[in-house]
């Protein structure tokens, strides 16, 4: 494992250090993190320098393009970084290798521009262009989590695109915390785009599922989207059941809260919200109010993208650590082992549910 180096971008330092600790324990070795310097000129231009040799090393770059807490001084004023700027730093660090690395694997849990994955009319095709650009820059493998549209891999047919899901890790945490509720569950998709994800959760838990269809006003556009008129429910009777609402990401969260309110009105007991990425772009006031009203019991999300410490300490929020999963992926890739065992944790979840059910009897 001496041929391996981690480059942990400043936007995911805590996650990267946890991954490094796992790798150190797995391989009985010292730290794998390579030192880098990220500098900014006063007009906002930047550069990255790698402070040690990476020649003939297998590089694993870890970045969180969704971290909105990072900033730098531009013309004397604090300037908070957008996903575009985080992506630019990824290109800088690849450039700084000067072509000397043996292999470059980019670990980008929140895929850059993942929601701009298809074109309608005269629109940019940002995600596909970015993936092709990374391939041209010399990236050999891209690792991401819960891509908004997994089909985006077709933009780079010759490049390995590993799209993992933290489903079993989230469910392990859920089962550990909510033992009393797992025997009376239904899983729900908040819209038709999330049905496959909800079905997978339902299969893992061995329960039924339902879905909501978002009926939109196609004659209007508000904040770039057609406003939702109604959530039409399709599924089994909800009364007296506990519910899990699952999606890949929570942006404003308004839609998920509205679905939770509808489930409450239909007689659902405890309602749990689950998302790989809790972006919470409009703040948390709506979640605080909904929690206080008893609309939902808890929100489960991961540390794969930035969430402020203040939110992590809320009673209604549960942070799921995925650093061990990333360390496993790196270990398997570096040892040239098949990643197949890491894609499916279904057996472990089923065994855990069975043990919990036996205890509850």
């Amino acid at each position: 494992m001496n041929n391996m180096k981690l480059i942990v971008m400043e936007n995911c330092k805590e996650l990267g250090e946890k991954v490094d600790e796992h790798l150190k324990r797995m391989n009985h070795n010292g730290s794998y993190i390579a030192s880098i310097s990220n500098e900014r000129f006063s007009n906002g231009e930047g550069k990255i320098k790698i402070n040690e040799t990476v020649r003939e090393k297998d590089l694993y770059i870890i970045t969180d393009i969704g971290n909105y807490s990072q900033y730098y001084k531009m013309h004397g004023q604090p300037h908070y970084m957008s996903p575009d700027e985080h992506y630019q730093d990824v290109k800088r660090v690849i450039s700084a290798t000067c072509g000397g690395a043996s292999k470059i694997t980019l670990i980008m849990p929140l895929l850059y521009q993942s929601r701009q994955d298809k074109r309608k009319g005269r629109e940019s095709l940002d995600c596909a262009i970015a993936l092709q650009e990374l391939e041209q820059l010399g990236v050999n493998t891209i690792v991401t989590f819960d891509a908004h549209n997994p089909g985006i891999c077709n933009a780079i047919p010759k490049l390995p695109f590993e799209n993992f899901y933290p489903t079993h890790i989230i469910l392990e945490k859920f089962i550990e915390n909510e033992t009393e509720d797992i025997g009376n569950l239904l899983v729900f998709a908040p819209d038709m785009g999330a049905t496959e994800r909800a079905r997978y959760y339902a299969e893992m838990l061995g329960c039924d599922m339902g879905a909501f269809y978002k009926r939109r006003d196609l004659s209007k556009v508000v904040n770039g989207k057609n406003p939702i008129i109604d959530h039409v429910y399709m599924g089994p009777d909800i009364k007296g059941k506990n519910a899990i609402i699952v999606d890949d990401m929570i942006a404003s969260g308004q839609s998920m809260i509205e679905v939770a309110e509808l489930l409450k009105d239909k007689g659902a007991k405890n309602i749990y919200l689950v998302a790989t990425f809790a972006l919470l772009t409009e703040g948390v006031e709506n979640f605080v109010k909904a929690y206080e009203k008893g609309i939902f019991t808890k929100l489960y999300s991961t540390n794969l993208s930035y969430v402020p410490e203040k939110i992590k300490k809320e009673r209604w929020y549960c942070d799921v650590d995925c650093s061990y999963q990333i360390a496993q992926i790196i270990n398997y890739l570096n040892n040239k082992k098949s990643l197949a065992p890491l894609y499916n944790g279904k057996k472990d979840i089923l065994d855990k549910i069975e043990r919990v059910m036996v205890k509850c009897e």
Side-chain angles (χ1 to χ4, degrees), residues 197-350:
R197 186 175 292 99
R199 187 171 69 84
Y200 185 64
Y201 270 82
E203 286 179 357
M204 295 277 272
L205 290 165
C207 65
D208 205 350
M209 66 161 284
F212 285 84
Y213 170 71
K214 290 180 181 177
R215 191 162 66 87
R216 296 179 180 272
D217 184 352
L218 302 181
S219 66
K220 298 178 182 177
V221 177
V222 179
N223 294 327
K225 293 183 179 181
N226 302 113
I228 298 169
I229 301 172
D230 190 19
H231 294 274
V232 181
Y233 175 64
M234 295 173 286
D237 184 26
I238 301 166
K239 191 173 182 179
K241 295 284 188 178
N242 298 308
I244 299 179
I245 307 171
V246 298
D247 212 344
D248 60 334
M249 65 176 66
I250 296 174
S252 69
Q254 188 58 42
S255 181
M256 192 169 266
I257 289 174
E258 287 174 359
V259 167
E261 289 174 338
L262 290 169
L263 291 176
K264 264 302 184 198
D265 291 342
K266 292 179 180 293
K269 290 172 65 179
N270 294 321
I271 297 175
Y272 300 94
L273 314 180
V274 174
T276 302
F277 305 105
L279 306 182
L280 305 173
T281 55
E282 303 297 324
V284 297
E285 286 186 15
N286 287 341
F287 286 91
V288 172
K289 289 177 181 177
Y291 175 75
E292 290 174 349
K293 289 179 181 177
I295 300 301
F296 75 97
T297 302
K298 198 167 286 184
L299 164 60
Y300 282 80
S301 191
T302 73
N303 63 342
L304 292 172
S305 190
Y306 172 74
V307 176
E309 286 299 321
K310 183 179 178 182
I311 295 176
K312 290 180 183 179
K313 293 176 182 177
E314 293 281 358
R315 288 179 297 170
W316 48 266
Y317 188 86
C318 183
D319 188 55
V320 180
D321 181 15
C322 295
S323 59
Y324 182 72
Q325 186 180 16
I326 294 175
Q328 281 186 307
I329 293 166
I330 292 172
N331 232 17
Y332 273 57
L333 285 171
N334 200 64
N335 288 307
K336 297 178 174 57
K337 294 168 65 177
S338 169
L339 295 174
L342 303 182
Y343 270 104
N344 187 5
K346 186 172 182 179
K347 185 179 184 302
D348 292 340
I349 292 298
L350 293 176

Side-chain angles (χ1 to χ4, degrees), residues 110-125:
L110 178 58
L111 186 64
Y112 174 66
Q113 287 292 96
S114 60
R115 289 190 287 180
Q116 190 55 27
D117 59 292
K118 53 185 177 291
R119 176 183 286 154
K120 294 180 181 178
R122 297 184 183 91
E123 287 185 346
S124 57
L125 200 55

